[in-house]
Amino acid sequence: MALKLAVLVSGGGSNLQSIIDRIEDGALDAEIKLVLSNKPDAYGLTRAEKHGLPSVALDHTAYESREAFDAAMVEKINACGADIVVLAGFMRLLTSVFINAFKTIVNIHPALLPSFAGCHGQRDAADYGVKISGATVHFVDEIMDHGPVIVQAAVPVLSGEDGDALGARILEFEHRIYPQALQWLAEGRVTVKDRHVFVADAGKPKAPITKPGLVNPPLEEGF
Ligand code: GRF
């Protein structure tokens, strides 16, 4: 049965688009029940409309506290019937009101966690001078950018590259690993023990990596 998603965005929504595209081309067995944004002008909402997906904007500035905003989001998400909450460039800190309301919340981060957590993972990695950065899909817990890691893509940092250039190349991998992680979840292949995430039979069929980089566990056909 298709995995029912609530996707939360704050901005451009290119990760949302990659999820939509993989659903539409049949690689990802999922259904988007709701796209929710805390920014009424987020382009992610326009993407949802273009694909006929239900969407809602809840302007966080209209709420008196983080908890009140989170409670409003919980209500909308519960009403849409999603199995899983997918944070895709959602730029608000979540309180326990939100975290405790759902069994499964996942996030994508543009760095190799636990390095360079926070809002500027790409820029911080480029400024620090690391030679390899990347992207991480992880479960969400009460600590920001902290939950168990599902999949990571390693992306070499090119000489003299700034955060924007690095971020653009990392984003290409984000668009592959996020739908892949969701498909593993849709297939019921993911288990978690303490901080360790196991993907059953991971690493068998591989899709070719066309850009420099490395994904672990390897991508499968269609991603
Ligand atoms: C991505 O880099 C994601 O990793 C981070 O925010 C960015 C969102 O990009 N959390 P988009 O809105 O999906 O294009």
Side-chain angles (χ1 to χ4, degrees), residues 54-71:
S55 63
V56 63
L58 294 181
D59 185 347
H60 66 271
T61 62
Y63 294 83
E64 64 190 11
S65 65
R66 285 188 186 275
E67 286 77 9
F69 174 62
D70 283 2

Side-chain angles (χ1 to χ4, degrees), residues 86-110:
V86 178
L87 307 180
F90 186 70
M91 303 308 277
R92 295 288 301 167
L93 285 176
L94 295 164
T95 68
S96 54
V97 169
F98 191 92
I99 305 288
N100 295 335
F102 303 107
K103 189 163 155 267
T104 310
I105 307 172
V106 290
N107 182 43
I108 188 152
H109 181 74

Side-chain angles (χ1 to χ4, degrees), residues 9-17 47 87-91 107-111 119 122 135-136 167 170-171 174-175:
V9 299
S10 296
S14 69
N15 276 292
L16 165 66
Q17 188 66 53
R47 292 185 195 269
L87 307 180
F90 186 70
M91 303 308 277
N107 182 43
I108 188 152
H109 181 74
C119 289
Q122 313 93 320
T136 304
I170 290 173
L171 201 55
E174 294 186 37
H175 296 162

